[in-house]
């Protein structure tokens, strides 16, 4: 509506035309404190992601928005969302409205803005968002996208990454050096992307290099996972032995995240939702840091724990930050090329007590202050999942900064 | 004495003394029975008003709930032609900056070679000249479209392409952001008034490189006499200066937001979150991303040879922004004023070089706060 003036008997002395509308339009009135969690569900085509989602939709009491596929494929213009209202057992299809790009750099990805708008529009109809990636998707860029700065006061936050692996094929897949198995089974970008023209040379080249090295998308999906589901348990012959072999193999890559076996995605929802995996909860992080139980290390991507004494001064927090910035942004540790996919940690100064949680995915990291130290924690701890990592090099690099 | 209600759908005799203020202003008496009679006939009645300032402009989004007083004034002028010999960026033809989109997926921060740095200095100087010439025409009574025409002509004179033109289909050659407009205002038939502030955001593409800078200007003397407006504009200017002072090799980009927000808060201004500073060079926008708010997770350390912008946007009220239906114009949600300043910077071995620095004769510049 354009402004309708207020009728007058004579014009005010200053000549201004009074407006009928006395106040500015009210700014959106939704509860600004409620944030909706986003869980990223990743896994190869055929691993059972969709069955898992279906199962969650059936059993959850939460009102879920399920965003299917194609996420991370930033060129796709429209994306559909299914909002399941389990109480009324209704499904509503919505379209995400992805605007065009922007003249200046914007902080948020278009997809994130579209989901924020969806939440805004349907505030009480959504309790949790599940985002299913394509089979070939590296989940890190998507996790980064949804790990929004506090200052952006978004109405959504990243809850965690759940990775589904196909128990029948995962070992073959992780052993594939050179990409033969991946190409044969169409687990490559060329075979799964709707707009093949959108793939850049660099992307394809990077995929090829990783396949040659034996670093598959499955490695990345497991490295980034905050919870791992070994699915299709029912298909295994010698169940106990095979599950052990798969678990050992996954542990060698990701030594900290919980692993569960499932058939047809039957899993208690508490185990995969509300993980708060990117937050500064000291209790949760302490727990996950304790459990690095890898018995041997995958030579390609592995989990390494670095322990060192509590910090003595606040300057040492800054020194650790410089160390983290170096290893995450220069991709080097003790002059060796490395790649860090996930980082978690706990940094403590005893007197006065300062406890900081460290969270990181690829080159994005944060240190979050707050919380109380748990009994039994005797040292600082950093857990890194990535390529070419080992404890000695990390120690050497750390003490270049820590003085 | 009874008159006939001026509403074309009423036509009753009335004793009312209520008149349409717009008509009154134009020396016409249009009497209506009451406000509701007036309201129901408004959409028809308003057409008898002469258009403001004698131009035939209209608001293309009459149903949109604008947050402040500013309205778009369409039609936009025709797309300005670019001389054939001028080197075009890749998006000039179809609006899609393909090289940027590709680069975003790689996302490394480049350090310029000595040769490119020399070129960059030249391009920066040209962009400063173009901004200064355009800004010297800022005065009450000029339209933003006229400013766009001036800028475009100055670009053509210097063989430079105006980078905003057709970038993601942006229709004009410069961004003109008045009062509550945070950024990306589209030049149109809007007439600048005494008391307005306007930001001119200029980017040019010349010798294969982009150069980006912007400044906010007071329109007329009234703006300079309003304490809040001056506090906003000068605080924003100071925020940029303070951030630039901190730039040196070894500093993490994420620190700049802490500096800017601290100074803004001290002066009771808010910092816009949605838009950030950026790397620039062969591409209009690239890594790094430089948010202007505190506690951000921006990636990267400043190193010699990096070229990037810092361009804080501050507001008198809320930092929250919304878009007009043109999908470009970003305005404050509460309609209060917003200001912005931008420089393009080169990190050197020892500190920083302000590539787009003002000259002795640059229009605008700081004014004293009014206590």
């Amino acid at each position: 509506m354009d402004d309708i003036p207020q009728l007058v008997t004579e014009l005010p002395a200053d000549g201004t035309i009074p407006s009928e509308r006395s106040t500015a339009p009210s700014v959106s009135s939704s509860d600004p404190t409620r944030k909706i969690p986003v869980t990223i569900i990743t896994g190869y085509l055929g691993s059972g992601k969709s069955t898992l989602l279906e199962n969650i939709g059936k059993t959850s009491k939460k009102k879920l928005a399920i965003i299917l596929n194609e996420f991370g494929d930033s060129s796709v213009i429209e994306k559909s969302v299914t909002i399941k209202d389990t109480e009324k057992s209704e499904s509503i299809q919505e379209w995400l409205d992805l605007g065009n790009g922007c003249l200046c750099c914007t902080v948020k990805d278009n997809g994130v803005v579209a989901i924020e708008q969806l939440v805004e529009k349907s505030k009480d109809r959504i309790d949790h968002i599940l985002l299913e990636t394509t089979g070939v998707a590296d989940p890190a860029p998507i996790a980064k996208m949804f790990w929004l700065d506090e200052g952006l006061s978004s109405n959504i936050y990243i809850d965690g990454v759940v990775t589904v692996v196909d128990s029948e094929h995962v070992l073959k897949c992780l052993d594939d050096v050179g990409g033969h198995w991946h190409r044969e089974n169409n687990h490559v970008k060329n075979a799964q992307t709707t707009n093949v023209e959108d793939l850049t040379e660099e992307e394809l080249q990077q995929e090829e290099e990783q396949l040659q090295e034996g670093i598959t998308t499955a490695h990345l999906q497991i490295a980034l996972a905050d919870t791992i589901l070994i699915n299709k348990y029912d298909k295994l012959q010698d169940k106990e032995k095979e599950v052990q072999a798969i678990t050992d193999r996954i542990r060698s890559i990701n030594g900290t995240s919980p692993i569960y076996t499932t058939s047809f995605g039957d899993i208690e929802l508490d185990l995969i939702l509300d993980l708060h995996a990117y937050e500064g909860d000291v209790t949760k992080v302490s727990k996950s840091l304790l459990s690095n139980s890898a018995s041997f290390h995958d030579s390609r991507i592995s989990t390494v724990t670095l322990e060192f004494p509590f910090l003595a001064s606040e300057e040492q927090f800054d020194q650790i930050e410089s160390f983290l910035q170096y290893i995450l942004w220069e991709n080097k540790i003790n002059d060796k090329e490395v790649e860090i996919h996930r980082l978690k940690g706990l940094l403590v100064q005893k007197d006065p007590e300062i406890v900081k949680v460290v969270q990181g995915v690829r080159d994005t990291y944060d240190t979050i202050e707050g919380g109380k130290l748990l009994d039994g924690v005797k040292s600082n701890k950093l857990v890194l999942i990535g390529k070419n990592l080992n404890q000695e090099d990390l120690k050497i690099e750390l003490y270049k900064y820590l003085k | 004495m009874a008159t006939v209600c001026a509403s074309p759908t009423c036509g009753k005799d009335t004793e009312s003394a209520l008149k349409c203020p717009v008509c009154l202003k134009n020396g016409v008496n249009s009497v209506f029975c009451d406000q509701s009679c007036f309201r129901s006939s408004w959409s028809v009645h308003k057409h008898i008003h002469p258009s403001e300032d004698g131009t035939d402009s209209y608001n293309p989004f009459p149903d949109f709930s604008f947050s402040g007083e500013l309205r778009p004034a369409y039609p936009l002028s025709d797309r300005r032609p670019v001389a054939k010999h001028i080197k075009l960026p890749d998006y000039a033809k179809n609006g899609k900056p393909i090289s940027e989109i590709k680069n975003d997926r790689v996302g490394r921060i480049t350090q310029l070679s000595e040769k490119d740095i020399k070129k960059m200095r030249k391009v920066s100087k040209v962009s400063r000249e173009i901004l200064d010439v355009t800004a010297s025409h800022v005065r009450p009574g000029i339209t933003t479209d006229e400013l766009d025409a001036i800028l475009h002509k100055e670009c053509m004179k210097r063989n430079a392409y105006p980078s905003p033109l057709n970038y993601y289909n942006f229709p004009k050659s410069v961004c003109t952001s008045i009062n509550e407009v945070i950024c990306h205002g589209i030049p149109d038939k809007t007439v600048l008034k005494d008391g307005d502030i306007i930001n001119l955001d200029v980017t040019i593409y010349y010798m294969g490189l982009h150069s980006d800078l912007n400044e906010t200007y007071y329109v007329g003397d009234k703006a300079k006499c309003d304490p809040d407006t001056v506090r906003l504009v000068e605080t924003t200017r100071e925020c940029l200066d303070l951030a630039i002072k901190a730039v040196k090799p070894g500093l993490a980009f994420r620190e700049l937001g802490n500096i800017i927000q601290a100074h803004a808060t001290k002066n009771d201004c808010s910092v816009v979150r949605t838009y950030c500073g950026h790397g620039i060079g062969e591409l209009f926008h690239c890594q790094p991303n430089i948010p202007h708010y505190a506690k951000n997770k921006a990636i990267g350390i400043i190193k010699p040879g990096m070229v990037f912008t810092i361009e804080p946007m501050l507001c008198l009220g809320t930092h929250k922004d919304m878009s007009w239906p043109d999908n470009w114009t970003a305005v404050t949600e509460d309609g209060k004023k917003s200001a912005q300043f931008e420089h393009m910077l080169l990190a050197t071995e020892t500190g920083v070089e302000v590539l787009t620095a003002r000259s002795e004769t640059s229009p605008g510049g700081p004014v004293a706060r009014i206590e």
Side-chain angles (χ1 to χ4, degrees):
Chain A
M1 231 172 64
D2 58 348
D3 278 356
I4 300 175
Q6 187 77 43
L7 289 172
V8 296
T9 48
E10 55 189 288
L11 210 59
D14 62 359
T16 54
I17 293 170
S19 163
E20 193 183 46
R21 204 180 53 180
S22 52
T23 48
S26 67
V27 170
S28 63
S29 58
S30 56
D31 177 6
T33 53
R34 189 171 185 232
K35 284 175 176 257
I36 308 299
V38 178
T39 297
I40 297 164
I41 302 198
T42 182
Y44 275 33
L45 202 64
S47 61
K49 276 177 302 182
S50 306
T51 318
L52 173 72
L53 285 170
E54 223 171 87
N55 195 42
I56 297 173
K58 269 189 227 147
T59 53
S60 174
K61 293 210 169 58
K62 290 177 197 271
K63 286 168 269 179
L64 303 168
I66 298 173
I67 300 171
L68 292 173
N69 258 317
E70 300 297 333
F71 218 87
D73 211 72
S74 54
S75 49
V76 179
I77 307 292
E78 282 181 323
K79 281 153 189 156
S80 77
V81 184
T82 312
I83 298 175
K84 291 206 174 181
D85 189 332
T86 37
E87 276 163 45
K88 294 182 209 142
S89 61
E90 280 179 352
S91 282
I92 307 147
Q93 276 262 305
E94 296 243 6
W95 293 96
L96 284 185
D97 179 19
L98 295 179
N100 57 357
C102 189
L103 185 63
C104 187
C105 266
T106 46
V107 178
K108 288 177 196 165
D109 178 87
N110 283 337
V112 173
V113 174
I115 291 175
E116 285 179 342
Q117 283 165 354
L118 176 82
V119 169
E120 183 68 41
K121 266 195 306 191
S122 50
K123 201 69 188 183
D124 301 320
R125 276 166 47 216
I126 302 176
D127 297 325
H128 202 116
I129 294 166
L130 302 169
L131 202 145
E132 181 191 349
T133 69
T134 53
V136 287
D138 167 4
I142 306 168
K144 270 163 60 168
M145 213 183 271
F146 284 91
W147 190 21
L148 297 156
D149 290 337
E150 201 54 45
L152 295 173
S153 36
S154 175
N155 56 14
I156 55 174
Y157 69 92
I158 180 168
D159 183 45
V161 176
V162 175
T163 296
V164 186
V165 300
D166 176 354
S167 59
E168 275 194 296
H169 300 116
V170 66
L171 292 182
K172 240 178 275 163
C173 159
L174 290 171
D175 283 336
D176 182 25
V177 178
H180 309 293
W181 183 87
H182 277 75
R183 270 186 284 270
E184 224 165 85
N185 292 282
N186 289 333
H187 293 304
V188 285
K189 286 185 173 149
N190 257 331
Q192 285 190 28
T193 307
T194 34
N195 287 322
V196 179
E197 316 86 76
D198 282 340
L199 293 169
T200 62
E201 294 263 330
E202 288 87 356
E203 273 179 293
L204 293 173
Q205 202 185 326
Q206 198 190 5
E207 183 182 41
E208 186 53 36
E209 275 169 23
Q210 291 191 331
L211 286 173
Q212 289 308 328
E213 267 183 89
I215 293 179
T216 67
T217 306
H219 280 88
L220 303 180
Q221 292 177 345
I222 291 168
L224 261 293
D226 297 301
T227 292
I228 299 153
L229 304 182
I230 302 178
N231 198 25
K232 299 193 175 175
Y233 178 66
D234 55 296
K235 293 267 178 79
L236 297 178
Q237 302 295 323
D238 185 351
K239 292 195 166 49
E240 210 171 299
K241 207 174 127 202
E242 287 185 65
V243 166
Q244 194 55 53
I246 295 168
T247 306
D248 286 347
R249 191 59 202 278
I250 291 173
R251 277 269 164 268
S252 74
I253 299 168
N254 184 330
T256 61
S257 298
I259 302 174
Y260 305 103
T261 51
T262 58
S263 303
F264 303 104
D266 60 332
I267 178 87
E268 275 182 58
L269 293 181
D270 295 357
L271 299 175
I272 56 170
L273 301 186
D274 300 317
L275 300 176
H276 299 280
Y278 282 80
E279 285 160 47
D281 185 322
V282 175
T283 315
K284 279 206 162 86
V285 169
S286 307
K287 238 202 244 163
S288 75
L289 295 180
L290 287 175
S291 57
N292 183 7
S293 56
S295 48
F296 79 101
H297 291 287
D298 187 296
S299 55
R300 290 160 286 189
I301 292 186
S302 61
T303 304
V304 175
T305 304
L306 183 63
E307 286 187 65
F308 51 101
F310 287 149
L311 300 177
S313 67
E314 292 200 38
E315 289 85 72
Q316 289 197 322
F317 281 106
D318 295 337
Q319 292 167 4
I320 302 264
E321 288 233 7
S322 299
F323 160 73
L324 291 176
Q325 290 173 357
Y326 179 78
I327 64 171
L328 295 174
W329 296 345
E330 302 300 327
N331 298 313
K332 265 188 224 154
I333 295 177
N334 197 21
D335 290 325
K336 289 175 190 140
E337 295 282 328
V338 298
E339 273 170 23
I340 297 164
H341 298 298
R342 188 75 162 96
L343 162 70
K344 274 185 263 187
L346 199 64
L347 301 173
V348 180
Q349 177 192 289
K350 275 298 249 197
D351 195 24
E353 186 174 291
I354 301 173
V355 183
K356 289 189 184 181
V357 167
V358 183
Q359 292 280 7
V361 52
R362 295 277 157 81
D363 49 5
T364 302
Y365 84 95
D366 202 3
T367 50
I368 308 147
E369 199 175 332
K372 282 247 155 272
L373 189 60
L374 298 191
D375 289 340
V377 178
K378 296 271 183 283
S379 61
N380 291 324
K381 213 175 240 194
L382 290 171
V383 172
L384 300 95
I385 302 178
K387 190 172 97 172
N388 288 346
L389 301 180
N390 74 63
Q391 258 175 2
E392 279 98 280
D393 288 335
L394 268 166
K395 275 239 156 91
I396 291 167
E397 194 64 52
L398 174 71
Y399 284 106
K400 285 186 198 164
Y401 289 86
L402 198 56
K403 283 175 184 120
Chain B
M1 190 189 74
T3 29
V4 178
C5 177
S7 163
T9 52
C10 174
K12 293 192 187 83
D13 282 352
T14 177
E15 297 293 328
S16 165
L18 294 168
K19 303 177 189 98
C20 168
V22 184
C23 290
L24 265 185
K25 207 169 184 176
N26 293 300
V28 179
N29 280 334
S30 303
V31 178
F32 289 81
C33 303
D34 52 27
Q35 185 72 22
S36 74
C37 213
F38 179 55
R39 190 187 303 128
S40 62
S41 65
W42 170 251
S43 59
V44 183
H45 171 76
K46 68 180 178 186
H47 293 292
I48 74 165
H49 301 149
S51 62
E52 280 175 54
D53 316 302
T55 56
D56 286 322
S57 72
Y58 65 94
N59 169 8
F61 316 113
D63 296 332
F64 181 69
S65 187
F66 288 88
S67 65
E69 280 169 19
L70 194 71
R71 297 291 176 274
Y74 278 42
L76 300 181
S77 58
D78 289 340
R79 186 168 163 166
R80 298 189 205 287
V82 175
K84 276 216 176 67
H85 65 277
I86 288 175
K87 183 171 177 173
L88 305 176
D90 65 353
Y91 54 82
K93 288 271 181 282
N94 67 2
K96 209 171 167 189
I98 293 153
S99 47
E100 263 182 35
I101 294 164
K102 284 188 175 169
N103 180 70
D104 277 351
R105 301 193 193 179
V106 184
R108 264 174 227 108
I109 308 173
T110 45
Q111 288 164 271
L112 259 55
S113 65
E114 230 4 86
K115 192 176 147 216
D116 277 345
I117 288 172
K118 277 197 187 117
K119 252 206 282 186
M120 206 69 188
R121 286 197 182 104
K122 177 97 198 282
V123 181
S124 307
K125 209 169 151 241
V126 172
S127 65
R128 166 52 73 180
E129 280 169 25
I130 293 171
L131 172 64
D132 284 356
V133 172
T134 312
S136 69
H137 292 270
V138 168
R139 58 178 161 77
I142 196 166
T143 68
T144 46
D145 186 63
E146 286 169 301
L147 291 171
D148 183 71
I150 293 163
L151 171 126
H152 192 85
K153 200 172 130 209
E154 294 300 321
C155 285
M156 294 304 111
K157 256 198 232 169
R158 292 169 176 80
N159 301 319
Y161 181 87
S163 304
L165 187 61
N166 211 29
Y167 182 75
Y168 284 107
N169 304 115
F170 189 80
K172 291 284 145 200
S173 301
V174 61
C175 294
T176 51
S177 303
I178 302 169
N179 299 341
E180 71 263 32
V181 181
I182 294 168
C183 59
H184 305 165
I186 299 172
D188 61 11
K189 290 192 151 75
T190 303
V191 180
L192 295 186
K193 311 186 300 292
D194 194 10
D196 285 344
I197 54 172
I198 182 172
N199 177 280
L200 301 178
D201 192 347
V202 172
T203 310
I204 63 163
Y205 182 68
Y206 179 49
M207 305 197 302
L209 295 170
H210 292 272
S211 172
D212 188 357
L213 77 162
N214 76 49
E215 280 197 42
T216 299
Y217 302 91
Y218 299 96
V219 181
D221 289 329
K222 213 168 134 191
K224 289 182 193 165
C225 299
D226 179 57
D228 284 340
T229 303
V230 173
R231 169 169 57 88
L232 170 71
V233 174
E234 297 311 320
T235 303
T236 313
R237 196 190 312 267
E238 291 154 8
C239 279
L240 174 58
D241 292 344
L242 285 170
I244 290 172
K245 273 201 189 114
V247 171
K248 59 165 193 247
L251 185 82
F253 284 109
R254 58 175 65 189
E255 295 300 330
L256 296 169
N258 297 335
I259 296 165
I260 290 165
Q261 187 159 341
H263 188 66
T265 309
K266 211 161 70 188
N267 288 279
D268 206 12
C269 294
S270 64
V271 179
V272 171
R273 314 290 161 93
T274 303
Y275 304 95
C276 56
H278 53 89
I280 182 167
E282 287 174 22
L283 302 173
F284 192 170
H285 299 107
C286 55
Q287 295 294 325
N289 266 8
I290 307 171
H292 305 112
Y293 53 88
K295 286 190 181 168
N296 63 75
K297 298 195 287 289
I299 295 159
I301 294 265
I302 297 171
K303 291 177 185 172
M306 288 181 177
V307 174
F308 54 92
T309 73
I310 305 178
E311 45 183 305
M313 286 145 268
L314 268 58
C315 310
L316 280 176
T318 181
H319 70 264
K320 290 191 178 165
D321 60 290
M322 57 185 265
S323 273
W324 280 3
D326 60 22
N327 280 330
W328 280 110
T329 312
V331 296
T332 55
E333 258 188 19
D334 58 8
K336 291 187 181 164
K337 282 190 175 117
S338 174
Q340 180 181 24
F341 286 89
E342 171 182 27
H343 273 305
M344 195 169 72
L345 309 163
L346 166 71
T348 61
E349 295 291 338
T350 52
V352 61
E353 182 179 328
V354 183
L355 292 167
T356 49
R358 293 168 56 83
S359 74
E360 292 281 304
T361 55
S362 292
V367 308
R369 279 184 164 74
I370 306 156
E371 296 308 331

